[in-house]
Amino acid sequence: MNFYLTINEEPHGLFKSQIIDVISFLDKEFDSNLGLVCFISLRTYFKNRKIIKSFKLKTIVFPSIPKLYFFRWNIVLLIIACWIYRPKGIIARNVFACKLALKCKGLKLTSNVIYDGRGYLKAEAEEYSIYPINIKKQISDLENLSLKKSDYIMSITSQMIECWKKEYNYNKTNYVIIPNTIGENFINNNIYDNNNLRNKLGYNSEDLILIYSGSNARWQSLDNTINFCRKQLVLNGKIKVILLTKEIPIITKLIHDYPNRVSCKWINSGDVVKYMTICDYGLLMRNKSITNSVSFSTKFAEYLSCGLKIITTNNMAISKFVKDNDLGIIIQDINLNADIKSVSKQDKTYIREIAIKKFTKTSKNNYDNYKKIITLIKQ
């Protein structure tokens, strides 16, 4: 059995679409014999192990050594797993997983290591302090090691590749670009028959509905989104706002000021598509940072799959794609009138077709690149 290795990835949020669905797809399409090997928090081990096992994949779920700083000690259990299952290849989802996978390769327990680089971690650590201080100092070295020593690299954007080249003198061509792709529930949704659902959820056909779906983590720049929505609510009486996130004080204040036009819900991930489908625009408005200029938000692809136009700032990796394909509005100043208009059925069809063509696992470029990866780990 080959391994898809994760460390400190809990089975919530994007875990299903970005890990479980990917492994299922690779196994079905390419007979990858890929199993999920994950190290999860000891505090929630039994609860989350049960969730992971419910996905019906080949899985090995280990309790992780407490504190990320000591992640290297997880090598003991990984060595045992490699000795038992003899994987030809390991796909490592972050630099911590890659460090351990490369150690196993050095011990001749596997032949190929693929680094699945979902982010530019040095920038994330410096700009948003998302790692403990004792780990933050190691991120750059771990990222450099992952890029230089892995047999193949998976990146989500070309901008990320360029940053790696500049920062780490990464000059190889052993990489593929595969953006975060949409899950099955977003592929199979109905974007047209939504008037009844709108009415059921308390909206009508005249409303212009903006939606934000995501966390309130610092890199999401939620204050930008709220300030933008506040301005547009003043300027356009048809606008209503749905915030699918945990309520925080700035959201509470917005709801208080516009009680019949703004709602905030923290819902089951399976219900997100239902709310997106009734909307007109998806909001992705982040601060200027290196992290945001090279990253690819999964929500971007999900918004498009629901036929939503995008409202985004001009400093994101997706901005050029939105502009080139006429997919929405690029905001230069959140305090100006965005001139938000209704989205036609024809527009929704066009937008969804873009999503299916570019951001599904079966779209040509993504399919071919996944095939390269699996061919390598099966050697």
Side-chain angles (χ1 to χ4, degrees):
M1 182 174 77
N2 298 309
F3 291 174
Y4 188 103
L5 178 64
T6 72
I7 294 179
N8 270 33
E9 302 255 7
E10 302 298 314
H12 309 296
L14 298 176
F15 192 92
K16 173 68 165 61
S17 65
Q18 301 307 309
I19 297 177
I20 300 299
D21 285 358
V22 169
I23 295 172
S24 297
F25 170 77
L26 295 178
D27 220 25
K28 177 182 177 182
E29 292 294 323
F30 307 115
D31 192 25
S32 65
N33 191 27
L34 199 61
L36 174 62
V37 179
C38 49
F39 289 83
I40 60 175
S41 171
L42 183 60
R43 285 177 299 175
T44 55
Y45 174 72
F46 292 102
K47 175 186 174 183
N48 285 338
R49 181 182 183 274
K50 184 177 181 181
I51 294 172
I52 292 168
K53 288 291 185 179
S54 72
F55 292 123
K56 308 300 181 184
L57 291 178
K58 293 171 284 190
T59 56
I60 304 171
V61 185
F62 291 123
S64 183
I65 297 295
K67 304 263 186 207
L68 188 57
Y69 180 77
F70 299 109
F71 79 93
R72 289 172 176 82
W73 288 101
N74 291 314
I75 191 63
V76 176
L77 291 175
L78 184 59
I79 286 173
I80 294 172
C82 285
W83 185 79
I84 294 171
Y85 291 95
R86 303 291 177 177
K88 292 182 178 179
I90 299 176
I91 299 175
R93 185 166 163 86
N94 59 30
V95 295
F96 309 109
C98 196
K99 172 69 174 177
L100 301 190
L102 288 169
K103 182 68 174 177
C104 290
K105 182 182 177 182
L107 295 172
K108 310 295 184 185
L109 294 171
T110 190
S111 300
N112 296 291
V113 173
I114 291 87
Y115 172 49
D116 188 2
R118 298 287 96 185
Y120 180 20
L121 301 195
K122 180 177 184 291
E124 292 177 8
E126 291 177 350
E127 293 175 327
Y128 297 107
S129 301
I130 61 176
Y131 300 103
I133 189 67
N134 53 8
I135 278 290
K136 183 179 177 180
K137 297 176 180 178
Q138 303 178 40
I139 289 294
S140 184
D141 289 340
L142 290 169
E143 193 163 38
N144 187 36
L145 178 75
S146 299
L147 293 168
K148 299 289 181 62
K149 297 298 184 181
S150 296
D151 298 283
Y152 226 81
I153 312 294
M154 297 165 66
S155 174
I156 54 175
T157 65
S158 59
Q159 293 94 329
M160 192 172 292
I161 295 289
E162 292 306 311
C163 281
W164 287 340
K165 288 179 179 179
K166 182 178 179 181
E167 178 65 30
Y168 300 115
N169 194 28
Y170 170 66
N171 53 17
K172 298 180 181 180
T173 57
N174 62 334
Y175 66 85
V176 292
I177 296 174
I178 305 175
N180 295 330
T181 54
I182 53 178
E184 290 297 318
N185 57 331
F186 284 92
I187 294 173
N188 299 323
N189 65 6
N190 183 348
I191 66 171
Y192 303 117
D193 186 23
N194 62 11
N195 278 338
N196 288 337
L197 185 56
R198 270 196 174 207
N199 293 335
K200 184 178 179 181
L201 295 175
Y203 302 93
N204 63 57
S205 60
E206 298 300 314
D207 291 331
L208 294 175
I209 308 177
L210 317 184
I211 188 168
Y212 169 80
S213 176
S215 73
N216 53 32
R218 283 182 59 205
W219 64 83
Q220 299 280 13
S221 311
L222 195 53
D223 54 336
N224 280 355
T225 299
I226 299 304
N227 291 336
F228 171 80
C229 289
R230 180 176 291 279
K231 186 66 176 181
Q232 304 312 310
L233 286 162
V234 171
L235 294 170
N236 191 332
K238 291 184 177 182
I239 286 178
K240 293 189 177 179
V241 178
I242 298 175
L243 302 166
L244 300 185
T245 189
K246 290 183 178 179
E247 189 170 326
I248 56 177
I250 57 172
I251 294 177
T252 303
K253 179 68 165 61
L254 188 67
I255 294 172
H256 176 268
D257 294 342
Y258 299 94
N260 298 318
R261 298 173 65 190
V262 180
S263 63
C264 179
K265 306 173 188 295
W266 186 243
I267 61 175
N268 212 305
S269 59
D271 293 327
V272 170
V273 64
K274 176 174 69 174
Y275 280 89
M276 283 190 186
T277 301
I278 71 164
C279 296
D280 299 286
Y281 290 83
L283 299 170
L284 282 169
M285 311 190 67
R286 298 184 182 174
N287 289 328
K288 186 175 183 179
S289 68
I290 296 173
T291 299
N292 288 329
S293 70
V294 304
S295 63
F296 181 95
S297 171
T298 305
K299 284 296 179 287
F300 174 62
E302 292 177 351
Y303 287 153
L304 295 181
S305 74
C306 293
L308 307 190
K309 285 196 170 185
I310 305 298
I311 299 177
T312 187
T313 41
N314 64 348
N315 54 284
M316 295 182 62
I318 63 169
S319 302
K320 187 176 186 300
F321 188 83
V322 170
K323 181 179 179 181
D324 290 348
N325 292 278
D326 192 23
L327 294 173
I329 303 170
I330 309 294
I331 299 298
Q332 306 293 335
D333 185 340
I334 63 173
N335 294 309
L336 297 179
N337 187 347
D339 193 25
I340 298 171
K341 299 176 181 177
S342 61
V343 182
S344 69
K345 183 177 179 179
Q346 183 179 4
D347 286 340
K348 281 185 171 287
T349 300
Y350 166 73
I351 293 167
R352 178 171 167 79
E353 286 175 352
I354 292 282
I356 299 301
K357 183 178 179 181
K358 296 289 187 180
F359 305 122
T360 57
K361 297 168 186 64
T362 55
S363 64
K364 180 169 173 39
N365 284 345
N366 296 337
Y367 188 93
D368 290 346
N369 286 334
Y370 275 129
K371 188 175 182 179
K372 285 181 185 178
I373 296 299
I374 298 306
T375 299
L376 178 65
I377 67 171
K378 291 172 71 174
Q379 289 177 355

